[in-house]
Amino acid sequence: MGKLGANIYFGDTGKARQNLENLSRCGYQAVYLEGDFLNVPLEQLKEVKRIIDDYPLEAFSVHNLQLFPEPEEKPESIISFQEEIFEKAKILGVKYLTGHFGWCKGL
């Protein structure tokens, strides 16, 4: 049997807790996290992960931007940014990363 999942905004941990509690009560089993996680501090991400685990829900995927470097930059200029995406996804315990291709960093 498949799992029922929902997309949530989690930049505000109070709203995240309320949203996750409501989803859990409605029978949801998993959440898909929006790409705004890139702007969320590490400690706040850890708190969101604790909240997800409290209900218990599975964070199965996070949406992010797979960015290309700006035209005048070398491809390796975005490596640290990509590493940050992977590190934050690990904190959240997601299984999958989904993304857009073709966006230049800074746009």
Side-chain angles (χ1 to χ4, degrees):
M1 178 175 193
K3 292 185 179 185
L4 184 61
N7 187 7
I8 67 159
Y9 167 78
F10 60 94
D12 175 311
T13 53
K15 287 180 184 178
R17 180 173 292 284
Q18 182 180 12
N19 291 341
L20 290 165
E21 180 180 354
N22 291 338
L23 290 171
S24 181
R25 275 198 233 151
C26 290
Y28 284 81
Q29 300 164 323
V31 291
Y32 171 86
L33 304 165
E34 293 182 351
D36 60 352
F37 83 103
L38 295 172
N39 298 316
V40 176
L42 290 178
E43 287 307 312
Q44 190 173 348
L45 281 178
K46 291 175 184 176
E47 177 62 19
V48 169
K49 173 62 174 154
R50 286 189 289 274
I51 295 168
I52 290 169
D53 291 343
D54 283 347
Y55 284 102
L57 294 163
E58 175 188 3
F60 71 92
S61 182
V62 69
H63 184 84
N64 70 96
L65 300 175
Q66 297 288 336
L67 302 176
F68 290 119
E70 295 194 40
E72 66 277 359
E73 293 184 23
K74 294 182 179 184
E76 51 274 0
S77 68
I78 63 164
I79 290 174
S80 64
F81 182 75
Q82 295 295 337
E83 289 173 341
E84 180 183 356
I85 290 171
F86 291 124
E87 189 60 37
K88 287 183 172 185
K90 283 184 205 175
I91 289 169
L92 292 168
V94 299
K95 293 181 180 180
Y96 304 102
L97 292 171
T98 59
H100 293 290
F101 289 91
W103 290 37
C104 290
K105 187 175 181 187
L107 293 180

